[in-house]
Amino acid sequence: MNPLSLLGRSSNLFDLDIKNAKDLDSIIKKSSFLVLGGAGSIGQSVTKEIFSRNPKKLHIVDISENNLAELVRDIRSSLGYISGDFKTYAIDIGSIEYDYFIKSDGKYDYVLNLSALKHVRSEKDKYTLMRMIDVNIFNTIKTIKQSISNNTKKYFCVSTDKATNPVNMMGASKRIMEIFLNKYSDKINISTARFANVAFSDGSLMHSFNQRFNKCQPIVAPDDIQRYFITEKESGELCLLSCIYGENNDIFFPKLLDKLHLIKFSDIAINFLDSKGYKPFICNSEEEARNFKINSNDLTWPCLFTQSDTSGEKDFEEFFSLDEQINFEKFNGLGIVKNNFKDTDEILISFKKNINKMRNMGSWRKEDILKSFQILLPNFSHIETGKYLDSKM
């Protein structure tokens, strides 16, 4: 299955930028890397981009031991071995074990933080929402401070298009993360990247198409939402280019060129089924879709295409806001937000105090967290419908 063809494209977005990066291989070959959250879809893609260029040291940390095992199998089966030090560690970044791991060495030229709670559905309850803050914001602060202490050359952290004028708590948490990144950028060089949706990444709706097909289950998608998509390989290249070539406080994002166009989830579902030799049978309800008998002779597949009515959905995607300074000239397929935040130390301290107070009390409401978010993001307008994706098929 070629993800590009499913997205209606024929070529990679960043081929020319990678080709023009003449010193990329030599920089990586003489450098050491720590990839946090390196066993997720984007993390694995970044890891393979680095590994293929024979780094001096490459260490991967992720909480998922199963994904780490698959990452190693994938690398050994496709890329083989390097002369440098390659190791993986199944550790929670927020744990004391991770702190001891960093104390035992911690000497890396580049630290790439790909760990994140990335789903809008993760804000459905106050407990998962608090963990989102911990992973997306507080773990970032922690690992930046450790990188500063260890004289790391560059810290990269992944963001999201949803951080631009956010309408959901996930996007707002990443926007707040960007503000904290700026705070520490006078002590360490920092760059980041705002993503489009990564096609068929773990946990994504498009990844579920594969899961549903393999389990002979209906394919469900909204038919009123259009999004920009990049492939997993492109996501790794985007992170790598930002990490190596981004100037302090730069935010990289994919340019909206002819190659990158909006496409509906339902259209991708139809393209996916076509690649499998099936045509969609459009059902009118979840019950009809569940009860549909899939017949390989008939070559039709049950599909339920619905209108979106869940919390936090944005009508359109944007990679930068109108008040941000943008550079479109440096790269062929990439734009750059030239970040320049105002002094926010006082409200950053207030935000941390408010969140820590809730945690120490052992009780909080989503409304309290929203108020804390709005201290840093006064224009943050959260779209709350009371409906979440977990209530749907």
Side-chain angles (χ1 to χ4, degrees), residues 42-59:
I42 300 171
Q44 289 197 33
S45 181
V46 174
T47 296
K48 286 185 277 191
E49 291 293 330
I50 297 170
F51 187 96
S52 68
R53 293 172 170 87
N54 197 27
K56 183 170 66 177
K57 179 166 71 172
L58 176 56
H59 290 172

Side-chain angles (χ1 to χ4, degrees), residues 146-374:
Q146 291 168 329
S147 299
I148 293 169
S149 297
N150 286 309
N151 296 312
T152 297
K153 181 189 298 184
K154 182 69 171 294
Y155 184 95
F156 169 85
C157 194
V158 70
S159 187
T160 172
D161 61 286
K162 295 175 179 63
T164 309
N165 299 319
V167 299
N168 53 58
M169 303 291 271
M170 191 281 287
S173 74
K174 281 293 191 179
R175 180 56 177 164
I176 292 170
M177 180 206 74
E178 290 179 356
I179 298 173
F180 273 101
L181 291 176
N182 180 77
K183 170 181 168 58
Y184 291 101
S185 63
D186 61 340
K187 298 180 177 68
I188 185 173
N189 284 330
I190 294 174
S191 64
T192 186
R194 289 178 184 162
F195 273 74
N197 292 268
V198 181
F200 298 96
S201 60
D202 280 355
S204 68
L205 179 58
M206 291 167 66
H207 177 257
S208 81
F209 295 168
N210 267 324
Q211 303 291 91
R212 304 288 70 75
F213 188 86
N214 291 338
K215 295 180 180 181
C216 293
Q217 294 172 343
I219 288 179
V220 181
D223 65 357
D224 60 341
I225 294 180
Q226 298 184 89
R227 291 290 185 258
Y228 298 106
F229 289 92
I230 61 175
T231 66
E232 288 185 8
K233 179 173 175 55
E234 289 168 341
S235 75
E237 293 171 341
L238 173 56
C239 291
L240 190 61
L241 289 167
S242 175
C243 176
I244 301 298
Y245 297 111
E247 296 177 356
N248 200 17
N249 281 324
D250 279 357
I251 302 176
F252 280 40
F253 62 89
K255 283 184 186 178
L256 302 184
L257 304 172
D258 291 340
K259 289 182 181 178
L260 185 64
H261 56 269
L262 289 167
I263 185 169
K264 293 199 298 184
F265 283 100
S266 53
D267 288 341
I268 298 173
I270 292 170
N271 291 345
F272 171 81
L273 286 174
D274 183 66
S275 73
K276 300 290 187 180
Y278 284 82
K279 299 295 181 186
F281 179 88
I282 308 302
C283 301
N284 295 314
S285 68
E286 288 191 3
E287 184 177 7
E288 182 185 4
R290 274 191 295 268
N291 292 332
F292 186 93
K293 301 301 181 185
I294 297 170
N295 186 334
S296 59
N297 295 323
D298 184 40
L299 295 180
T300 57
W301 200 276
C303 292
L304 182 62
F305 297 149
T306 62
Q307 297 288 299
S308 178
D309 59 358
T310 53
S311 292
E313 290 293 348
K314 199 170 184 178
D315 293 337
F316 59 95
E317 287 181 311
E318 50 190 340
F319 296 108
F320 57 89
S321 57
L322 295 177
D323 60 347
E324 290 177 319
Q325 181 185 349
I326 311 300
N327 182 325
F328 285 114
E329 309 305 320
K330 189 172 182 179
F331 292 95
N332 178 68
L334 293 161
I336 307 172
V337 176
K338 306 299 292 186
N339 236 335
N340 185 22
F341 290 110
K342 296 178 181 177
D343 184 12
T344 52
D345 271 3
E346 190 173 321
I347 56 175
L348 287 175
I349 292 168
S350 175
F351 173 82
K352 288 171 68 176
K353 282 183 177 178
N354 287 342
I355 297 298
N356 283 326
K357 182 179 179 181
M358 293 180 211
R359 289 156 64 117
N360 292 335
M361 289 176 61
S363 177
W364 58 84
R365 301 178 304 161
K366 287 180 68 174
E367 294 86 348
D368 299 326
I369 295 175
L370 177 59
K371 288 178 182 177
S372 293
F373 275 34
Q374 289 172 332

